[in-house]
Amino acid sequence: SPDCSFTCHYRCRALVRLDCSGPPGAGDEDDGTEQALEKDTNVDEPGEWEKAELDQAQVEQRIKEYNSQINSNLFMSLNKDGSYTGFIKVQLKLVRPVSVPATKRVPSLQAGRPGPRAQGVKRRTSFYLPKGTIKHLHILSHTRASEVIDALLRKFTVVDNPRKFALFERSEKDEQVYLRKLADEERPLRLRLLAGPSEKVLSFVLKENETGEVNWDAFTLPELHNFLRILQREEEEHVRQLRHRYARCRQKMQEAL
């Protein structure tokens, strides 16, 4: 596709189906603002309100308050065993492509004679998820952050290792954006209940999990060449956004003069 400019193996090209909704760069102005806000705001420790422990009566009261504040039917419900269920909204902000299974049948070159590849191609194909993709999940109060990641990957049939991704909590305060990576054992629905329904106070974002150094020797040459192409595109996109930001700032200064 000329809009997506995706990269895949030449034999996988016929298997890829993408719904491209516009030229690259659409909505980049918001992304630039978001990146400017999020710089150097990662925090490691949860806030005081996130550490609060509630008894069953307090949980019941919080659920009533939560349900009275939302403008949808995404209510929380208290169960007889003291647990509760509800919905969380997760925004996917992935900058790298994800892998999905490519199992569609490939037609034989000669009609009536099934070729050796007609059984189906058990390969992977990679593509970029659209920016700002949002998914609602119905979960339990004891559902862990790692289980939320697994559920999201299943929803989008992503076959990458779940350890490549991390769930973050995002909050806005004093015109600053704060991101904190959730530990595997943390319970997102509990955080949602404690924070209330406001997306500014708390929202959830799925991003790449930056785990440190990568063992590049473990990859094949075609994979490494593909990574280099992806890195080049990421670098070009960052440079384009930076130039756009400076051009906009320069324009504002000239208008003021």
Side-chain angles (χ1 to χ4, degrees), residues 27-220:
D28 283 339
E29 187 169 334
D30 292 338
D31 291 343
T33 304
E34 183 84 346
Q35 289 178 6
L37 286 173
E38 288 185 0
K39 63 178 182 180
D40 298 330
T41 56
N42 288 328
V43 291
D44 297 323
E45 293 297 326
E48 289 300 321
W49 64 269
E50 296 169 305
K51 299 177 182 178
E53 292 296 334
L54 306 177
D55 58 32
Q56 187 162 349
Q58 291 173 318
V59 168
E60 186 174 2
Q61 180 61 30
R62 290 266 187 159
I63 290 176
K64 288 181 180 178
E65 293 175 359
Y66 183 93
N67 291 341
S68 67
Q69 295 173 28
I70 62 175
N71 298 319
S72 65
N73 59 351
L74 304 180
F75 299 110
M76 289 197 191
S77 302
L78 184 64
N79 301 321
K80 292 181 179 179
D81 62 0
S83 65
Y84 48 97
T85 59
F87 293 86
I88 62 169
K89 182 173 74 172
V90 182
Q91 183 181 23
L92 281 69
K93 295 185 67 175
L94 304 176
V95 298
R96 299 187 181 93
V98 295
S99 299
V100 297
T103 56
K104 292 187 178 181
R105 292 181 180 273
V106 178
S108 173
L109 295 177
Q110 297 181 358
R113 295 183 59 187
R117 292 167 57 82
Q119 298 90 355
V121 182
K122 293 183 179 179
R123 300 176 183 270
R124 294 183 179 186
T125 186
S126 299
F127 70 97
Y128 289 87
L129 281 172
K131 289 183 179 180
T133 299
I134 292 175
K135 192 68 180 177
H136 286 86
L137 292 177
H138 188 245
I139 62 175
L140 296 162
S141 54
H142 53 75
T143 300
R144 297 172 297 160
S146 59
E147 294 171 321
V148 169
I149 295 173
D150 291 339
L152 286 169
L153 298 185
R154 286 197 302 270
K155 290 278 187 183
F156 291 95
T157 65
V158 174
V159 296
D160 292 299
N161 191 320
R163 303 301 301 177
K164 293 182 178 180
F165 308 92
L167 191 65
F168 288 79
E169 67 171 25
R170 179 186 183 279
S171 59
E172 297 180 27
K173 185 179 180 181
D174 299 328
E175 297 185 355
Q176 191 67 272
V177 174
Y178 297 87
L179 288 174
R180 182 179 72 88
K181 184 167 74 173
L182 299 184
D184 288 345
E185 300 299 320
E186 290 193 69
R187 297 167 289 165
L189 190 62
R190 174 182 173 276
L191 297 176
R192 179 79 278 164
L193 178 63
L194 290 171
S198 171
E199 291 290 316
K200 285 193 173 183
V201 176
L202 174 72
S203 60
F204 295 107
V205 182
L206 184 73
K207 303 181 74 172
E208 281 85 6
N209 185 20
E210 304 296 345
T211 56
E213 292 298 321
V214 177
N215 181 17
W216 297 110
D217 293 332
F219 295 94
T220 64

Side-chain angles (χ1 to χ4, degrees), residues 226-242:
N226 203 36
F227 291 154
L228 286 173
R229 285 195 291 269
I230 292 170
L231 285 174
Q232 181 181 354
R233 289 177 182 173
E234 288 183 3
E235 181 182 8
E236 291 171 353
E237 177 63 16
H238 282 301
V239 169
R240 190 191 64 78
Q241 290 184 5
L242 190 62

